[in-house]
Structures are given as structure tokens and as C-alpha cells.
Amino acid sequence: MPVVPSWIVNQRQIAAAVQKAAKALAPDVVRIRYKMAPDAIGEDAIFFRVLLSDRATREDKLFETTQRIKHKILDIVNPREKYGLEAYFTYRSVSEQAELKEAAWE
């Protein structure tokens, strides 16, 4: 019998947790998108794309802001403990997205 990764079974729970995290992190976080796929070494992973307000990406606060956001998402979604997923994060500002217009970030 094939083993089904837990993240496939629990996609609704993951979506609800990501939405909860985004609400908790507003107004710095405009939205969070994600994709579940194998990482570079073939392990199950979740890749978060976090769209930040321009204010949240000020250079003097960017590291602190991204660390706070990362820890909050990990705390609420808990991908490793609940679903066996390694988490990866990418951040972009609203201004960057307006210029790049990548559909995956919308």
C-alpha cells in the first residue's frame, strides 16, 4: 500500500493555518502564498512566498521583520511537526511585485 504524505490529506488545514498567520501578521504581511513540493534533495517541503508591505521592507528593519514573520508562520502552521514538511521562505515587497508582476505572487 503506498504511503500518502500527510500534507496531501491535510491541505484544508494548511490553507486555514496560512490564512490565520497572514491575518496575525497584518499590516506588514499583505498575503502569503505557498506551494508544496519536494525540495532540492527530494524531501517534502512547503515554500512560502510572503508579500510584504513597502513599510515592512525598510532596510533598517528588514531582517527583524522577516525573522518575526518566519517564526510566526512556523508557530501557527507548524509544517514540520504536523505534516513532516521542511519550510522555505521568500519575501517580496508590494513595489517589487508591482514591477515584476509574477502570477505566483498574486
Side-chain angles (χ1 to χ4, degrees):
M1 172 183 257
V3 176
V4 177
S6 65
W7 56 268
I8 291 175
V9 176
N10 296 303
Q11 287 190 31
R12 284 190 186 141
Q13 288 177 327
I14 293 170
V18 169
Q19 186 175 30
K20 180 179 178 182
K23 285 181 182 180
L25 291 162
D28 289 338
V29 171
V30 175
R31 68 178 159 267
I32 303 170
R33 299 292 186 246
Y34 63 94
K35 178 174 113 177
M36 292 173 281
D39 64 12
I41 60 171
E43 297 294 323
D44 291 336
I46 185 166
F47 298 85
F48 293 102
R49 295 178 307 278
V50 183
L51 189 65
L52 302 172
S53 70
D54 288 333
R55 185 182 69 74
T57 60
R58 285 187 13 212
E59 195 172 327
D60 63 327
K61 294 190 132 196
L62 186 57
F63 180 77
E64 176 187 318
T65 299
T66 57
Q67 291 302 300
R68 180 177 51 79
I69 290 167
K70 173 184 171 182
H71 291 293
K72 185 64 135 179
I73 292 170
L74 290 175
D75 183 51
I76 292 173
V77 180
N78 201 3
R80 183 176 294 177
E81 301 299 321
K82 286 186 177 178
Y83 312 106
L85 298 170
E86 187 64 40
Y88 297 91
F89 295 83
T90 308
Y91 302 92
R92 180 176 290 175
S93 71
V94 169
S95 294
E96 286 177 293
Q97 176 56 15
E99 188 175 314
L100 297 171
K101 297 178 181 151
E102 287 187 49
W105 286 79
E106 293 299 326

